[in-house]
Amino acid sequence: MNPKRKRRLMMIILILIGVGSATALTLTAFNQNMMFFYSPSQVAAGEAPKNRPFRVGGMVKENSLSRDNDGITVRFIVHDNAKEVTIRYTGILPDLFREGQGIVAHGKLGENGVFIANEVLAKHDENYMPPEVAAAMKPKGIDKK
Amino acid sequence: MIPELGHFSLILALSLAIAQAFFPLVGAQLNKTRWMAVAKPAAHGQFIFLSIAFAALTTSFINNDFSVLYVATNSNSLLPVQYRISAVWGAHEGSLLLWSLILGIWTLAVSLFSKHLPPAMVSRVLGVMGLISIGFLLFMLFTSNPFDRLLPAAIEGRDLNPLLQDFGLIIHPPMLYMGYVGFSVAFAFAIAALLGGQLDSAWARWSRPWTTMAWCFLTIGIALGSWWAYYELGWGGWWFWDPVENASFMPWLIGTALIHSLAVTEKRGSFKSWTVMLAILAFSLSLLGTFLVRSGVVTSVHAFATDPTRGVFILAFLGVVIGGSLLLYAFKAGNIKSAGRFSLFSRETLLLTNNIILVVVCATVLLGTLYPLVLDAMGAGKISVGMPYFNYMFTLFMLPLVFLMAIGPLTRWKRQSINDLLGKITIIFIISVLTGIASYFMLGTISWSVAGVIALFTWIIGSSLINLYKRVENKPNKITALTTIPLSFYGMFLAHIGVAVFMMGVTFTSHYSEEKDIRMKPGDSLDMAGYNFQFEGATEVNGPNYRAQQGSIVISQNNRKITTLKPQKRLYLVQRSPMTEAAIDASLSRDLFIAMGEPLGNGEWSIRIQYKPLIRWIWLGTIIMAIGGLLSISDKRYRYKRKRLAS
């Protein structure tokens, strides 16, 4: 092999090793951080994972919001017209959080079937329904507004 | 009348864009000088008519002309006038108009500052930019005309989204678009070079300042977006790896790679086809960004369009631009001969590493952004990719990049002897490691990873200073020698220091921020991060188009009062939408950030209090980077070149 080819081959091998390991690392990290969306019905049916974070979303049930004594921890019920999930969240709720509106929560399922959220999203517009929530509501007969 | 004038101007601009694309491109191919000569006047005319259209829409906003649908949807007679102007680009149609106008500005700039270029090159560049303009003007006229009338006229407008009633929105989109659209110049140069088969180092020299300029705008645009999110909607976060943010960040990553690879092409004549590829990618990603943001496939504050024809149009346009340019690349790139040879350890290799890392990071961001969309489109489930993925990948790849960034400028083109390099950097390496260790033990509460970043910071600053010193080492008068160093060197010097400053900001903010959501009644106080926060209750205040509850929080340190912050909870009256207006006490060393949560009755509120060390360094770093970019454009080599070629 002449030196020019050898140099080029070395270069290519180095790049391949680099890109290969980068791909492997990426895919591992990607797999660990993928969060699936489950509707309250799916959670009730036990389809949601027990010890890995996922997202759940639906409409906040009217009059279901209650506050613990610290004033910061809230509980509320999210439903998709079929099943309900209780969500517990410690922190300040987003501006557009309202009973009767669609939200998406990120978090894990707790021991007693209560979803412990570390993030609650209610998006930027009064009429806005998160697409996941709209899809979750659809089969139950209520369409996106 | 005025809206019709605007609409008509748009149509005229489209006709001129067609002329600007067709005659110069065909003329350059057939070598017809008179056809090529159409390019500049057409570009100027197009710019004039786009300006008229833009002025027409702005006038309709200022005059509260609610017979224009777009104005009625996005403005209100109570809206303060500066927001009426910025509302022009506050939603889909108007932001497209801004996009087109900015493309017109870049085209005008190219036509004015290209006197030194061969006529065929200029014609092709302007022709390609004309093609892009055609795409956007067609899109606007057929699917998103901002001048559509609303009959009968509305009595009152629906008001601008309250989140967008803010200084940040006035400047963030124009800056970002200057960056996005600016890459169309680099793209047009690349396509022109492919068409003309003229890819030499002169080409890289022409294209370089334009690319750097676009990059500067994009850097500032992204930073402004992040800053706006921080104080306006982020509850104190500055980056969320939201698809929309990623959409602006991907062209930035590729643009950064492009700037570095253009340097190799200009100075050494290597990497030619790779550089062309990056130029195509950078602009394609800008278009993809526009598609992601505007088509409604991702839902966010930026996604206005839910009309599916718009999405289909942008997707088709995207397909034509990316597919067409890649096809051209496939046919022509084989003829490109890269000149310079280089050995395994050389500045070329390090810049190649830089490029590979940046492209890989961009690919990981692209995967995290697009994969959920693809999966959803195939009906395979709704997933989202969490922030930890992006944070982990970004840190993993960027740390080695930042480490090498310190070495790169010290290495020679073609071949670098390892011993020689070690001689330059061993001392600074030892100093950096010692600084890291010392800060670990002296600052008490820091972790090894933060100590590592402090070492890395020292490493970049130190090696940059060494590089500066090496430049004047053998000169008799070192101070005057400093003034003879080309500006482009100082540009790089500053940009790299900007990265270091940014890195410190990110590290300290993410490791040492303190945050508390707390219930407070008037008189309650909280001690956090050495500060005392005392809540004095909330009162009602009224704005022009909102009502607000304004809290008052006295902050003191060591029993000395520092400031009183007045965060607000606003209710915008037209859209009935609540808004949190955080109050921030900013300084270079830390921000104190307070936002009102909800009223809990009896004058009690839930309140979020945050302490954010060095967060200003994040934006300061990006400003330093952009200043570095501007300095390197000002380098005289880009100016006297013109005179020399003219003579």
Side-chain angles (χ1 to χ4, degrees):
Chain A
M1 216 188 297
N2 69 29
K4 192 181 159 193
R5 282 217 177 146
K6 199 171 169 186
R7 192 180 55 96
R8 192 167 282 178
L9 190 69
M10 272 293 278
M11 206 73 149
I12 291 173
I13 290 174
L14 280 179
I15 290 175
L16 280 183
I17 292 175
V19 171
S21 45
T23 316
L25 282 168
T26 307
L27 293 179
T28 323
F30 191 77
N31 253 327
Q32 283 165 359
N33 285 293
M34 229 162 45
M35 276 203 289
F36 280 90
F37 177 87
Y38 293 92
S39 69
S41 295
Q42 286 172 309
V43 175
E47 289 173 33
K50 289 284 176 292
N51 40 25
R52 107 175 234 160
F54 63 96
R55 294 178 301 147
V56 66
M59 306 297 274
V60 181
K61 192 178 171 185
E62 298 284 349
N63 301 321
S64 71
L65 183 73
S66 66
R67 244 171 235 285
D68 287 9
N69 282 334
D70 64 355
I72 294 295
T73 303
V74 293
R75 288 158 201 276
F76 54 90
I77 294 171
V78 157
H79 70 91
D80 57 1
N81 286 332
K83 290 286 180 350
E84 297 179 340
V85 173
T86 303
I87 293 180
R88 197 184 84 196
Y89 173 68
T90 303
I92 293 176
L93 289 166
D95 282 342
L96 291 166
F97 181 93
R98 263 337 128 60
E99 291 181 340
Q101 297 224 343
I103 61 109
V104 173
H106 297 198
K108 269 186 186 174
L109 208 51
E111 294 283 300
N112 40 8
V114 173
F115 186 82
I116 316 291
N118 50 32
E119 194 178 2
V120 174
L121 301 173
K123 288 265 170 132
H124 311 282
D125 169 351
E126 291 250 298
N127 301 316
Y128 171 82
M129 167 122 52
E132 292 92 343
V133 177
M137 304 293 287
K138 225 174 224 162
K140 284 97 196 170
I142 292 201
D143 206 350
K144 192 173 166 179
K145 260 192 251 182
Chain B
M1 184 54 205
I2 288 173
E4 278 68 32
L5 187 71
H7 190 178
F8 188 58
S9 303
L10 274 188
I11 298 173
L12 286 178
L14 174 64
S15 343
L16 284 167
I18 294 172
Q20 181 195 325
F22 178 77
F23 291 105
L25 281 176
V26 177
Q29 227 52 27
L30 304 177
N31 208 8
K32 292 190 180 193
T33 322
R34 294 177 69 180
W35 284 32
M36 290 195 274
V38 174
K40 285 185 183 179
H44 299 171
Q46 205 206 146
F47 169 73
I48 290 169
F49 286 112
L50 285 171
S51 310
I52 294 175
F54 194 82
L57 189 61
T58 313
T59 313
S60 300
F61 265 100
I62 293 175
N63 295 341
N64 292 318
D65 184 354
F66 298 131
S67 71
V68 178
L69 178 64
Y70 182 71
V71 178
T73 335
N74 294 294
S75 186
N76 185 277
S77 53
L78 292 177
L79 192 65
V81 71
Q82 72 271 28
Y83 297 138
R84 272 189 242 156
I85 296 171
S86 70
V88 172
W89 54 86
H92 172 76
E93 289 85 349
S95 60
L96 274 177
L97 183 56
L98 181 68
W99 215 103
S100 297
L101 177 68
I102 286 176
L103 182 59
I105 294 173
W106 280 106
T107 314
L108 181 74
V110 171
S111 76
L112 292 180
F113 298 107
S114 58
K115 296 195 171 65
H116 57 297
L117 296 186
M121 186 77 185
V122 184
S123 311
R124 289 197 174 102
V125 170
L126 292 176
V128 172
M129 295 183 78
L131 282 177
I132 300 164
S133 185
I134 294 174
F136 270 85
L137 287 170
L138 281 177
F139 181 42
M140 211 181 336
L141 286 166
F142 283 114
T143 72
S144 334
N145 183 358
F147 298 106
D148 275 347
R149 288 284 194 173
L150 174 69
L151 291 172
I155 296 159
E156 188 50 277
R158 292 222 320 250
D159 208 359
L160 180 66
N161 183 340
L163 283 171
L164 308 182
Q165 296 182 25
D166 179 80
F167 174 72
L169 180 88
I170 298 181
I171 47 178
H172 160 62
M175 283 293 173
L176 195 65
Y177 280 15
M178 284 298 283
Y180 269 2
V181 185
F183 282 136
S184 73
V185 182
F187 172 79
F189 268 100
I191 297 294
L194 281 178
L195 284 172
Q198 195 187 28
L199 265 165
D200 42 22
S201 56
W203 165 79
R205 188 174 304 119
W206 298 328
S207 164
R208 226 178 139 186
W210 295 104
T211 312
T212 310
M213 194 72 192
W215 179 89
C216 291
F217 277 115
L218 191 59
T219 308
I220 293 295
I222 297 173
L224 280 169
S226 148
W227 176 59
W228 173 75
Y230 165 69
Y231 68 76
E232 191 70 14
L233 66 105
W235 290 99
W238 61 276
W239 191 259
F240 303 90
W241 296 108
D242 178 274
V244 174
E245 290 169 328
N246 297 347
S248 68
F249 190 49
M250 289 187 285
W252 188 89
L253 288 168
I254 298 296
T256 311
L258 177 59
I259 288 176
H260 290 89
S261 110
L262 271 171
V264 185
T265 309
E266 183 195 343
K267 293 267 175 63
R268 304 287 312 151
S270 318
F271 292 12
K272 282 178 184 164
S273 43
W274 172 247
T275 305
V276 170
M277 189 64 183
L278 286 178
I280 294 176
L281 274 185
F283 184 61
S284 302
L285 285 167
S286 297
L287 282 183
L288 179 75
T290 313
F291 166 70
L292 280 179
V293 173
R294 296 300 178 217
S295 64
V297 279
V298 292
T299 36
S300 77
V301 65
H302 299 78
F304 318 117
T306 39
D307 176 359
T309 55
R310 289 178 180 168
V312 172
F313 190 105
I314 308 185
L315 202 56
F317 183 57
L318 206 61
V320 170
V321 174
I322 300 178
S325 45
L326 289 183
L327 208 62
L328 182 68
Y329 180 81
F331 278 118
K332 296 277 190 169
N335 304 333
I336 303 171
K337 291 272 179 293
S338 271
R341 306 250 312 263
F342 53 93
S343 71
L344 207 55
F345 193 59
S346 60
R347 188 184 283 195
E348 284 94 329
T349 319
L350 284 173
L351 284 168
L352 185 64
T353 316
N354 150 305
N355 273 224
I356 292 172
I357 294 180
L358 285 168
V359 170
V360 167
V361 171
C362 179
T364 61
V365 176
L366 189 72
L367 177 77
T369 312
L370 286 190
Y371 187 71
L373 298 176
V374 173
L375 210 61
D376 188 24
M378 296 190 312
K382 291 185 180 293
I383 64 158
S384 70
V385 182
M387 276 178 70
Y389 162 76
F390 292 105
N391 286 338
Y392 171 75
M393 298 312 297
F394 189 69
T395 322
L396 187 69
F397 291 119
M398 286 319 248
L399 287 180
L401 182 68
V402 170
F403 179 80
L404 291 178
M405 188 178 86
I407 306 177
L410 284 163
T411 49
R412 289 171 200 281
W413 295 108
K414 258 181 118 171
R415 176 186 294 277
Q416 168 69 43
S417 116
I418 297 198
N419 286 335
D420 179 48
L421 180 70
L422 287 180
K424 286 181 191 163
I425 58 170
T426 310
I427 293 175
I428 198 70
F429 184 79
I430 292 171
I431 292 177
S432 308
V433 172
L434 288 179
T435 315
I437 295 173
S439 55
Y440 179 78
F441 287 108
M442 285 164 66
L443 297 176
T445 53
I446 75 172
S447 67
W448 277 114
S449 54
V450 176
V453 170
I454 293 176
L456 204 49
F457 179 77
T458 321
W459 169 239
I460 299 168
I461 306 282
S463 61
S464 297
L465 289 175
I466 292 228
N467 199 6
L468 188 63
Y469 178 71
K470 291 278 169 199
R471 289 246 164 180
V472 295
E473 196 181 15
N474 301 322
K475 301 284 164 55
N477 186 337
K478 295 186 173 45
I479 304 296
T480 50
L482 280 177
T483 61
T484 62
I485 300 174
L487 281 177
S488 61
F489 174 83
Y490 284 113
M492 176 199 68
F493 179 81
L494 271 187
H496 286 181
I497 286 178
V499 174
V501 170
F502 171 83
M503 179 185 74
M504 286 289 273
V506 173
T507 308
F508 275 79
T509 303
S510 52
H511 277 81
Y512 300 115
S513 284
E514 288 183 41
E515 171 183 326
K516 200 153 176 121
D517 289 353
I518 183 178
R519 166 193 206 141
M520 290 184 120
K521 62 174 182 291
D524 274 0
S525 73
L526 169 78
D527 287 303
M528 193 173 92
Y531 295 90
N532 177 273
F533 302 84
Q534 178 157 14
F535 181 54
E536 298 196 318
T539 50
E540 182 159 322
V541 292
N542 289 313
N545 51 353
Y546 60 85
R547 263 205 320 268
Q549 290 288 322
Q550 179 173 284
S552 173
I553 285 122
V554 177
I555 303 177
S556 44
Q557 190 177 27
N558 304 329
N559 294 323
R560 224 186 62 244
K561 182 181 160 184
I562 301 177
T563 182
T564 305
L565 287 182
K566 297 186 182 302
Q568 293 182 344
K569 192 74 168 183
R570 291 182 184 172
L571 181 70
Y572 280 83
L573 301 169
V574 179
Q575 300 194 347
R576 309 291 310 163
S577 44
M579 264 278 305
T580 304
E581 194 73 16
I584 300 169
D585 182 52
S587 76
L588 205 54
S589 61
R590 55 95 190 110
D591 271 19
L592 301 172
F593 180 109
I594 300 182
M596 306 282 278
E598 297 131 89
L600 302 171
N602 300 329
E604 293 186 352
W605 280 80
S606 59
I607 293 173
R608 172 166 298 182
I609 299 178
Q610 287 177 304
Y611 161 78
K612 302 242 155 207
L614 299 198
I615 191 162
R616 296 282 145 180
W617 287 42
I618 293 175
W619 302 300
L620 183 68
T622 59
I623 292 170
I624 297 176
M625 284 183 229
I627 293 175
L630 288 178
L631 271 186
S632 62
I633 301 167
S634 326
D635 195 309
K636 62 174 181 255
R637 112 168 145 263
Y638 297 117
R639 275 175 282 139
Y640 78 71
K641 196 74 208 162
R642 197 183 313 163
K643 279 185 220 130
R644 215 169 61 191
L645 272 167
S647 60

